[in-house]
């Protein structure tokens, strides 16, 4: 179960906190360890670290699915528990040696980066032999400092880590990746490149000894994308192309159709972005042929080919002028507009339906973007069609329009709805999978088309929107 994996990897430094402030321990759940004064810091850490696993087992015993909502609640409770224990442990006057390690790890679970670094620095500076824990502490301090943009200090701790034994590929990959991201954020691509390449090398080596193949492939994908982005952002087109090709070959070697598809898909989008649209058709056909030859397992080949064929219409549309929606029956509360009318704006077409569960995941972001970015030139259109029913009951068109108007108010969606008669709009834009998002730049050119919903996809859309809005 992927949720349980989070608790199991905390102590290796793999889980990365999202914030740098201190977690407020108020409202923490009542821990099973009673009488905090009677337990060691290690016992506190062990309980906090195993909390997600314990909750998963509890829900499994009750035959209750460990949903995203329940997982998020368990993570919050785990952070609160860790913060409460860390606050209690920090008051002790007799802390020494590994106590600082476990205190640092409690802060790490609580997403308190300052407390993490402070405690782990004390462990590293303390007298005693080099141990696995001391090395893990160094690796986490590197990640913390990189996230806090204290890059000179991070480089010093990385150098200390690399000249000390033992080293772990998982820790090396994470440290190099965090430093690469930090330098990328500062647009210091010269310093980003070596860290991205070192992280990618470590991730590939990690795959050979990874207990979880899927996790190893995820490591390679993330690290490989950092290498690609480093060369892409520095304008080194050849090396960026080479990075994507190397990722494709690695994916084939490890029989990973999803990884293989991702590398090919990214290359096609990069060809369009760099003004090489005429090369897309040939590369697409060659990729279909290669996919049929590169895999030993034929179902893997079939998987890649099926994914690429589903994207064919998107590849044709990318970089081309956006066509008008051909079958608009109702447009409310605003008035119908053509793509020509909207020239100079950045347009987000959100293809959705009221019955589409994943579509709901994007609503908070769409509302926020409408509120914050409309003045910058963003126009969001929610594109749907008549489905003839709602909540299992048949509806005629006028009744369905009233239902959609009520739905818009209930969900507090502030942008216009566009309702089509038939599937013409969806077929034109290849939006047969919902949700599908299309981003159109100020010149009326399609720059982004993706289907599905996830936190990473929404962040990807946000960054692309900001990029397009910055183009004048």
């Amino acid at each position: 179960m992927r949720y349980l994996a989070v608790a199991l990897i905390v102590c290796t430094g793999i889980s990365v906190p999202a914030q740098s402030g201190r977690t407020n321990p108020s409202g923490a759940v009542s821990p099973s360890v009673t009488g905090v004064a009677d337990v060691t810091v290690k016992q506190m850490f062990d309980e906090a670290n195993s909390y997600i696993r314990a909750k998963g087992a509890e829900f499994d015993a009750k035959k209750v699915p460990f949903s995203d909502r329940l997982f998020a609640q368990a993570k919050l409770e785990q952070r609160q528990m860790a913060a409460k224990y860390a606050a209690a442990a920090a008051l002790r006057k007799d802390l020494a040696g590994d106590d600082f390690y476990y205190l640092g790890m409690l802060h790490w679970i609580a997403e308190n980066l300052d407390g993490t670094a402070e405690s782990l620095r004390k462990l590293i500076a303390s007298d005693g032999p080099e141990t696995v824990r001391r090395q893990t502490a160094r690796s986490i301090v590197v990640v913390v400092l990189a996230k806090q943009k204290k890059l000179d200090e991070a480089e010093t701790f990385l150098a200390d880590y690399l000249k000390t034994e033992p080293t772990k590929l998982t820790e090396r990959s994470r440290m190099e990746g965090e430093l690469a991201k930090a330098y990328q954020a500062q647009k210091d691509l010269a310093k980003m490149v070596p860290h991205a390449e070192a992280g990618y090398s470590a991730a590939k080596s990690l795959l050979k000894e990874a207990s979880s193949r899927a996790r190893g492939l995820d490591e390679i994908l993330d690290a490989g994308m950092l290498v690609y982005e480093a060369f892409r952002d520095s304008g080194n087109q050849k090396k960026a192309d080479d990075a994507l090709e190397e990722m494709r070959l690695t994916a084939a070697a490890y029989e990973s159709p999803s990884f293989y598809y991702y590398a090919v898909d990214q290359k096609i989008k990069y060809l369009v972005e760099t003004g090489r649209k005429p090369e897309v058709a040939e590369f697409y056909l060659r990729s279909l042929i290669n996919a049929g030859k590169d895999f030993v397992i034929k179902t893997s080949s079939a998987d890649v080919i099926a994914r690429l064929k589903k994207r064919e219409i998107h590849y044709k549309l990318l970089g081309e002028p956006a066509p008008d929606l051909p079958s608009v029956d109702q447009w409310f509360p605003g008035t119908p507009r053509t793509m020509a009318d909207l020239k100079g704006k950045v347009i987000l077409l959100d293809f959705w339906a009221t019955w589409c569960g994943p579509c709901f995941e994007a609503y908070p972001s769409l509302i926020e973007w409408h509120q914050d970015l409309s003045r910058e030139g963003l126009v969001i259109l929610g594109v749907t069609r008549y489905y003839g029913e709602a909540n299992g009951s048949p509806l005629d068109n006028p009744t369905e329009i009233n239902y959609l108007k009520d739905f818009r108010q209930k969900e507090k969606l502030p942008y216009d709805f566009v309702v089509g008669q038939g599937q013409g709009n969806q077929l034109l834009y290849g939006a047969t999978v919902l949700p599908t998002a299309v981003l159109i730049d100020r010149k009326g050119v399609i720059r982004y088309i993706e289907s599905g919903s996830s936190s990473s996809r929404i962040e990807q859309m946000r960054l692309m929107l900001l990029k397009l809005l910055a183009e004048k």
Side-chain angles (χ1 to χ4, degrees), residues 69 91 179 220 236 240 252 266 278 290 310 328-329 359 370 394 396 425 444:
R69 182 184 62 80
L91 296 176
L179 281 165
I220 291 181
N236 194 327
Q266 195 65 52
N290 287 340
K310 285 181 180 178
V328 177
D329 185 69
C359 295
H370 176 86
D396 59 20
N425 298 328

Side-chain angles (χ1 to χ4, degrees), residues 147-166:
K147 291 178 74 65
Q148 294 178 328
K149 305 299 185 289
K150 299 175 182 178
L151 299 182
D152 289 342
E153 286 185 82
E155 294 280 15
T156 299
F157 275 92
L158 175 61
D160 289 342
Y161 178 92
L162 294 177
K163 68 185 181 185
T164 310
E165 293 294 339

Side-chain angles (χ1 to χ4, degrees), residues 338-355:
T338 65
M339 291 299 167
D341 295 333
L342 292 168
K343 277 280 184 71
K345 303 287 188 180
V346 172
I347 306 165
L348 192 171
L349 301 180
D350 176 45
F351 288 89
W352 69 287
T354 57
W355 48 261

Side-chain angles (χ1 to χ4, degrees), residues 227-264:
V227 175
Y228 158 68
E229 290 168 4
F231 291 125
R232 178 199 65 189
D233 294 347
S234 62
N236 194 327
Q237 194 173 101
K238 182 181 184 308
K239 286 198 172 183
D241 286 344
D242 289 346
L244 291 172
E245 176 65 6
E246 208 282 333
M247 288 170 65
R248 182 186 72 83
L249 294 174
T250 299
Y254 288 99
E255 291 283 329
S256 174
S258 58
F259 187 180
Y260 190 101
Y261 161 76
Y262 191 90
V264 172

Side-chain angles (χ1 to χ4, degrees), residues 135-203:
Q135 275 290 75
T136 296
R138 286 192 181 95
S139 75
I140 295 174
V141 169
V142 171
V143 171
V144 169
L145 293 173
K147 291 178 74 65
Q148 294 178 328
K149 305 299 185 289
K150 299 175 182 178
L151 299 182
D152 289 342
E153 286 185 82
E155 294 280 15
T156 299
F157 275 92
L158 175 61
D160 289 342
Y161 178 92
L162 294 177
K163 68 185 181 185
T164 310
E165 293 294 339
T167 61
K168 291 182 180 179
L169 291 170
T170 51
E171 294 173 348
R172 178 75 187 274
S173 177
R174 283 291 183 256
M175 288 185 290
E176 301 287 5
E178 284 298 328
L179 281 165
K181 292 174 194 174
Y183 285 121
Q184 183 181 40
Q186 293 188 353
K187 302 189 184 305
D188 191 340
L189 302 177
K191 290 184 178 178
M192 176 190 177
V193 168
H195 287 294
E197 291 184 316
Y200 187 44
S201 177

Side-chain angles (χ1 to χ4, degrees), residues 357-382:
C359 295
F360 284 68
E361 296 178 22
Y363 290 163
S365 296
L366 294 173
I367 294 168
E368 179 182 343
W369 296 341
H370 176 86
Q371 293 171 342
D372 296 346
L373 301 177
S374 291
R375 65 179 68 91
E376 304 297 326
L378 174 64
V379 173
I380 300 175
L381 299 176

Side-chain angles (χ1 to χ4, degrees), residues 38-50:
D38 300 326
V39 299
T40 65
V41 184
K42 180 181 184 302
Q43 287 174 312
M44 296 179 190
F45 166 73
D46 286 343
E47 183 182 5
N49 191 41
S50 63

